[in-house]
Amino acid sequence: MLFNSIDFAIFFPVVFILYWFVFNTNLRWQNIFILLCSYLFYGWWDVRFLSLLFLSTLIDFIIGLRLQTTVDERIRKWLLYGSIFFNLGILGIFKYYNFFLDNVNDLFTIFGKPLHFKGIELVLPVGISFYTFQTMSYTIDVYKRRMAPTTDLVSFAAYVSFFPQLVAGPIERARHLLPQFFVHRTFDYDLALRGCKQILWGLFKKVVIADNCAVLADSIFNHHTDYGGSTLWMGALFFAFQIYGDFSGYSDIAIGTSRLLGFDLMKNFTYPYFSRDMAEFWRRWHISLSTWFRDYVYIPLGGNQGSSFIKLRNIFLVFLISGFWHGANWTFIVWGLLNALLFVPLLMCGKNRQHLDIIAFDKRLPSFKDVLKMGFTFVLVTLLWIFFRSESLTIAIDIFARIFSPSLFTIPVFEQKGLASVTVILVIFFMALEWVGRSQNFAIEHMFATKSRIFRWAFFAFLICMIGMFMQTGGSPFIYFQF
Amino acid sequence: MKKFLSDIIQFSFFLIIFYLCFIVISGLLFPDFLRRNLIYTLGGNGFTYTRLKEAKDISHVDVLFLGSSRAYRSFDIRIFDTAGLTSFNLGTSNQTPIQSFYLLEKYLDQLKPATIVFEVNPDIFSNNGVESAIDIISNEKMNVSLLKMAADINDIKVWNTLIYSTFRKSTGLENSFIEGNQKTDQKYIKGGYVLSLTENFDQDAGNSYVCQLERKQMDAFEKIISLVKSANIEILLVQSPVVPALYNSCSENKNFDRLMNQSSDYINFNRTLNLTDTLHFTDGQHLNQNGVAIFCNEVIKLLQAK
């Protein structure tokens, strides 16, 4: 079920009413209800993969309990390996099996001994990369004794499958989300109101910004050989806003929906395109994944402690895995490695934490220096998105070659000029609102808070009108579903 | 919770009024590119305005034609008239079964045809019906059936057009509108036929299909068949000829023919008529007058045989 679909527009109000008016007296019933709704939400897409979700939940639940009762550290370690092996195993089979097979075939072909291994036709279960990481965080935390395991299977299953964030995050830590299933939830007017605003803002980002940018980016990337440097650069820019609007829009809707049910999810994006260097960008982009890798890969490997070689190794490993997490394609791996390359100089110079504040805090506009820094970082990020968006490395390199050619200084050509013009206007409007609201959790959280109610309502109604006037019809899925 | 629900309800009312005003203001003041999901095509392609206006004054015909531009540009009512068959062509641009059903519901009792010739092809069954719905809503006065059709399509563009069209028609903004009977290379012939004034073959226009039959169009088609059969009216399903390259680009042809054959009498003229691109077509999917004459005479033979 897509957030931007009629199905969800009917599903969620029904859930909301039953949740607060029928099941509100009993916490256990509320959790059972969340679990059932989550399985319905997931099964709407493909009911077969519910078994996989349940199996992953059950195995980690049992391993969590065994980790608590087992004293022998060796056995505990094997239990942890069991959990990791299972979770990465299903991820490996569904997501990476064919990729590895193709590469082994290619490798042997290079040496003149083609193997002709045949791949298997597998449908990638939606959200598998998200929920496997979420359950792994639970077993790792129980193993490290950072938290006690739960004995309540229903609450644990509801935590793993919690429908607002099941298929595209934020990837929650068990320590943060799981305890919320054990506390009686009361309806909070302010929380619910902020939830509604965040859902609206997320929808605007998705259906107005991302979907319109997607049409333009797709038409350019899918026929990249027909275009010169300036058009391809515009395609990369459109993709930059597409992926941001799409993914942060999903996160906003997920967080807003959770708020309406009395849950608090972690932030996933904090205005990444206002970053002044790559380190800041990675603190602001897909925060739940970056911090997951930080907590469960980077720090266990030694983090930034040790020799320069160890530091470099850790950084490259984390970015490599992060790239590979996104998809079974060399383009994602190269994208990860290039990000590492841009990040390393900052780490080595000790400048990776120089921008922890909010840019131009208490000021209306940024300084000239900040503008340059932001612009430079944004250009770098956008160039790297080319690898992320391209279907192969050859295509990505070809696009780079075309961008860095004299045709970069020509006037861009668009098949849909009207759409391109209006999308540019919408993106400027969107980024202006983001700039104004950059110190909030999401841009419109407290926007016009001091103005009269009618003024605020007019603003929210205007955003809905913009959705009605500029949304792409047909309901496109979220990009991160494929990961 | 009470306060929250009360706020939501109040805001919903506020939003409805705000949205209606927004659509009207956008329609009146904004250029096309700034109102992308508000399309208003009064007097647009296909002479829908004139045709629907004329339909209101017609009753009792031998043959009623339904379908997309392949219907209103292929069934020349003058040729049928010569053969002694009175007819009316109720085809509209990109008409899909959802719109055909709407038009039938509205005009069947009044036109009382002895036979309906329904031009069907995989293209219109693969269409979401938005363009045609907008065409009809823009050119028709607001009524409950239009609302039902908009609900069947359920697309924001259709809803926006419905709001704006209702506003324009209810405020009399269209009262002075007159549609001419000739537009660039097309001429409206009384009775609903549109004559193509160009004889040149445009090989770049309409040369590929996206063929994926839509469930909702199939449902509407089944409703048409049962409506017509319940009124004891003969229905003949016809697929008009298109250029071979276009016809062969659809992977659903066999499946489509099977489905149509199961529903009623059906003739696919792509299989029976041997026409030449440059001699009989103006573009990939529309016949020129030579092609129209051959095609209509074949249809007349079928009707007379019936």
Side-chain angles (χ1 to χ4, degrees):
Chain A
M1 203 182 291
L2 295 173
F3 280 159
N4 53 332
S5 68
I6 296 287
D7 298 341
F8 189 75
I10 296 165
F11 169 81
F12 187 67
V14 174
V15 170
F16 179 83
I17 288 164
L18 292 174
Y19 181 81
W20 288 115
F21 290 101
V22 178
F23 299 104
N24 61 326
T25 50
N26 186 312
L27 184 65
R28 186 161 180 76
W29 278 110
Q30 252 185 349
N31 288 344
I32 291 172
F33 181 64
I34 288 179
L35 178 62
L36 290 175
C37 291
S38 300
Y39 272 58
L40 176 69
F41 179 87
Y42 194 74
W44 207 263
W45 165 70
D46 193 330
V47 77
R48 290 171 302 169
F49 293 113
L50 279 175
S51 54
L52 203 63
L53 176 65
F54 182 69
L55 195 65
S56 181
T57 305
L58 194 65
I59 284 178
D60 284 313
F61 177 73
I62 294 168
I63 287 177
L65 289 175
R66 291 292 305 276
L67 280 169
Q68 175 80 348
T69 52
T70 308
V71 184
D72 188 333
E73 283 304 315
R74 237 167 26 121
I75 297 174
R76 292 185 86 243
K77 197 167 261 181
W78 280 108
L79 283 168
L80 177 68
Y81 289 160
S83 165
I84 293 173
F85 181 77
F86 173 76
N87 283 303
L88 294 184
I90 55 169
L91 204 55
I93 291 168
F94 281 98
K95 197 166 172 177
Y96 302 107
Y97 179 77
N98 286 337
F99 174 73
F100 276 115
L101 217 60
D102 290 346
N103 281 282
V104 169
N105 276 338
D106 290 349
L107 195 68
F108 276 83
T109 308
I110 290 169
F111 292 110
K113 302 256 182 220
L115 290 176
H116 304 300
F117 282 142
K118 282 207 166 156
I120 40 175
E121 291 277 326
L122 281 174
V123 179
L124 182 69
V126 166
I128 192 170
S129 309
F130 291 89
Y131 71 73
T132 48
F133 270 49
Q134 193 154 306
T135 53
M136 273 199 295
S137 83
Y138 170 75
T139 40
I140 295 170
D141 283 352
V142 172
Y143 171 77
K144 296 253 183 193
R145 296 196 170 87
R146 290 174 186 147
M147 68 180 290
T150 174
T151 53
D152 181 351
L153 178 60
V154 169
S155 300
F156 182 70
Y159 150 73
V160 176
S161 64
F162 189 45
F163 73 85
Q165 46 86 248
L166 170 62
V167 289
I171 303 168
E172 278 293 334
R173 282 333 106 72
R175 275 176 291 167
H176 179 239
L177 182 57
L178 188 55
Q180 296 181 48
F181 283 91
F182 303 121
V183 197
H184 181 68
R185 295 178 286 273
T186 48
F187 184 81
D188 181 334
Y189 175 83
D190 289 328
L191 194 69
L193 208 61
R194 274 189 288 147
C196 289
K197 287 184 201 172
Q198 196 156 5
I199 291 172
L200 171 61
W201 188 233
L203 266 178
F204 176 82
K205 283 182 184 177
K206 165 63 184 163
V207 300
V208 176
I209 302 300
D211 286 354
N212 282 308
C213 286
V215 174
L216 295 158
D218 287 350
S219 72
I220 293 169
F221 274 89
N222 293 344
H223 306 99
H224 73 278
T225 50
D226 297 346
Y227 297 110
S230 57
T231 313
L232 288 168
W233 170 244
M234 285 303 292
L237 283 176
F238 284 128
F239 180 69
F241 289 107
Q242 177 198 350
I243 194 162
Y244 175 51
D246 193 286
F247 194 22
S248 71
Y250 183 93
S251 297
D252 280 335
I253 300 170
I255 296 167
T257 309
S258 305
R259 280 182 171 160
L260 282 167
L261 299 176
F263 286 88
D264 172 45
L265 297 186
M266 69 185 295
K267 261 201 278 187
N268 219 11
F269 292 85
T270 45
Y271 314 98
Y273 289 158
F274 298 144
S275 303
R276 288 153 286 183
D277 60 41
M278 288 305 285
E280 190 184 8
F281 175 79
W282 278 108
R283 277 193 300 277
R284 293 172 174 275
W285 180 274
H286 202 175
I287 298 164
S288 65
L289 183 71
S290 316
T291 51
W292 198 100
F293 281 121
R294 182 197 65 199
D295 295 345
Y296 300 109
V297 181
Y298 183 66
I299 291 173
L301 282 172
N304 60 358
Q305 308 298 312
S307 65
S308 296
F309 172 76
I310 297 285
K311 282 184 198 170
L312 276 177
R313 182 202 67 181
N314 294 347
I315 286 293
F316 271 95
L317 261 177
V318 166
F319 275 105
L320 178 81
I321 299 169
S322 169
F324 202 43
W325 176 90
H326 284 86
N329 194 328
W330 284 103
T331 51
F332 293 116
I333 295 171
V334 170
W335 172 75
L337 289 175
L338 288 172
N339 270 293
L341 268 180
L342 295 175
F343 186 88
V344 159
L346 293 166
L347 182 76
M348 290 304 172
C349 302
K351 289 187 171 176
N352 57 316
R353 298 184 68 79
Q354 62 177 338
H355 296 304
L356 298 173
D357 56 334
I358 295 163
I359 186 168
F361 187 68
D362 272 353
K363 286 180 196 156
R364 200 175 284 261
L365 293 170
S367 65
F368 183 65
K369 196 176 159 190
D370 280 342
V371 170
L372 285 182
K373 283 179 174 178
M374 270 195 298
F376 183 63
T377 309
F378 180 66
V379 168
L380 289 178
V381 169
T382 305
L383 286 173
L384 295 192
W385 284 135
I386 292 170
F387 282 93
F388 196 95
R389 173 61 181 78
S390 300
E391 275 150 37
S392 70
L393 282 180
T394 323
I395 292 175
I397 290 164
D398 187 39
I399 291 174
F400 262 86
R402 284 166 188 273
I403 287 179
F404 292 104
S405 71
S407 62
L408 180 62
F409 303 101
T410 56
I411 293 168
V413 180
F414 298 107
E415 274 177 31
Q416 295 156 287
K417 275 184 193 158
L419 178 65
S421 320
V422 83
T423 305
V424 169
I425 295 169
L426 289 168
V427 167
I428 292 169
F429 171 73
F430 162 60
M431 290 310 282
L433 286 185
E434 289 260 293
W435 177 260
V436 172
R438 69 194 179 284
S439 59
Q440 316 296 329
N441 282 313
F442 57 97
I444 62 165
E445 186 176 24
H446 299 301
M447 202 160 272
F448 305 120
T450 54
K451 303 276 182 198
S452 67
R453 171 185 257 213
I454 200 86
F455 191 91
R456 275 181 282 129
W457 279 14
F459 172 68
F460 298 132
F462 177 70
L463 283 183
I464 294 170
C465 290
M466 298 284 275
I467 290 174
M469 190 56 87
F470 295 110
M471 71 185 285
Q472 286 288 336
T473 51
S476 59
F478 290 84
I479 295 179
Y480 266 67
F481 279 16
Q482 62 184 296
F483 305 137
Chain B
M1 178 61 93
K2 249 187 197 170
K3 182 170 163 32
F4 178 74
L5 291 179
S6 154
D7 280 358
I8 290 286
I9 292 164
Q10 285 178 51
F11 178 72
S12 301
F13 282 115
F14 176 80
L15 176 64
I16 290 167
I17 295 162
F18 194 95
Y19 195 82
L20 295 177
C21 296
F22 180 82
I23 293 298
V24 168
I25 292 167
S26 303
L28 291 173
L29 303 178
F30 294 172
D32 285 354
F33 84 102
L34 280 180
R35 52 176 174 97
R36 233 170 26 84
N37 287 345
L38 172 56
I39 304 161
Y40 185 65
T41 55
L42 178 75
N45 286 334
F47 300 92
T48 305
Y49 178 82
T50 307
R51 185 177 294 108
L52 295 181
K53 204 173 159 198
E54 193 186 341
K56 289 181 178 72
D57 303 325
I58 305 261
S59 62
H60 291 92
V61 290
D62 294 327
V63 188
L64 174 68
F65 300 107
L66 282 175
S68 61
S69 59
R70 279 166 63 171
Y72 70 70
R73 288 176 65 176
S74 296
F75 299 115
D76 187 342
I77 48 109
R78 297 170 302 180
I79 300 174
F80 286 85
D81 212 27
T82 316
L85 295 166
T86 58
S87 62
F88 188 76
N89 199 323
L90 204 52
T92 56
S93 284
N94 249 322
Q95 188 185 108
T96 70
I98 293 176
Q99 287 80 41
S100 307
F101 180 69
Y102 160 78
L103 292 168
L104 267 187
E105 264 198 324
K106 183 146 191 241
Y107 292 102
L108 194 64
D109 287 345
Q110 177 205 320
L111 293 172
K112 288 193 172 56
T115 306
I116 289 172
V117 176
F118 186 10
E119 202 286 325
V120 288
N121 60 71
D123 190 25
I124 57 157
F125 278 72
S126 307
N127 194 306
N128 59 15
V130 172
E131 192 185 328
S132 176
I134 288 171
D135 181 39
I136 292 175
I137 291 168
S138 302
N139 292 288
E140 181 83 303
K141 273 195 178 151
M142 179 61 187
N143 58 64
V144 180
S145 304
L146 272 186
L147 204 64
K148 266 169 66 187
M149 182 178 73
D152 280 343
I153 303 282
N154 198 20
D155 184 283
I156 191 75
K157 287 180 184 162
V158 175
W159 288 116
N160 288 346
T161 305
L162 190 77
I163 294 168
Y164 188 58
S165 180
T166 307
F167 165 77
R168 287 194 73 97
K169 283 164 186 124
S170 59
T171 52
L173 281 172
E174 310 299 11
N175 288 353
S176 56
F177 178 76
I178 297 166
E179 186 177 37
N181 70 347
Q182 192 166 328
K183 286 175 190 170
T184 52
D185 58 349
Q186 292 184 353
K187 187 178 179 187
Y188 182 80
I189 306 294
K190 207 163 179 290
Y193 175 65
V194 172
L195 173 71
S196 182
L197 298 175
T198 177
E199 290 299 317
N200 297 329
F201 177 63
D202 180 0
Q203 61 180 8
D204 294 331
N207 47 21
S208 72
Y209 273 145
V210 178
C211 277
Q212 263 182 331
L213 308 186
E214 294 250 349
R215 184 66 255 169
K216 62 181 181 183
Q217 299 295 2
M218 290 305 300
D219 292 343
F221 174 71
E222 282 163 20
K223 285 199 299 195
I224 291 170
I225 298 294
S226 61
L227 174 72
V228 172
K229 285 187 176 166
S230 69
N232 283 324
I233 295 169
E234 289 274 332
I235 183 162
L236 174 65
L237 305 176
V238 165
Q239 185 170 171
S240 68
V242 292
V243 296
L246 176 66
Y247 181 72
N248 294 325
S249 70
C250 175
S251 56
E252 291 281 342
N253 285 331
K254 273 189 181 168
N255 182 33
F256 185 75
D257 285 352
R258 187 180 52 79
L259 288 169
M260 293 301 112
N261 273 318
Q262 282 170 359
S263 305
S264 187
D265 291 341
Y266 168 65
I267 303 289
N268 181 353
F269 281 96
N270 288 292
R271 295 189 189 281
T272 58
L273 271 187
N274 198 7
L275 302 177
T276 311
D277 293 6
T278 48
L279 293 179
H280 301 113
F281 291 91
T282 55
D283 59 40
Q285 48 180 328
H286 299 113
L287 295 161
N288 64 16
Q289 203 53 31
N290 293 333
V292 166
I294 297 169
F295 174 59
C296 287
N297 283 317
E298 289 298 317
V299 176
I300 288 166
K301 277 184 209 164
L302 278 172
L303 291 172
Q304 285 169 342
K306 266 175 165 274

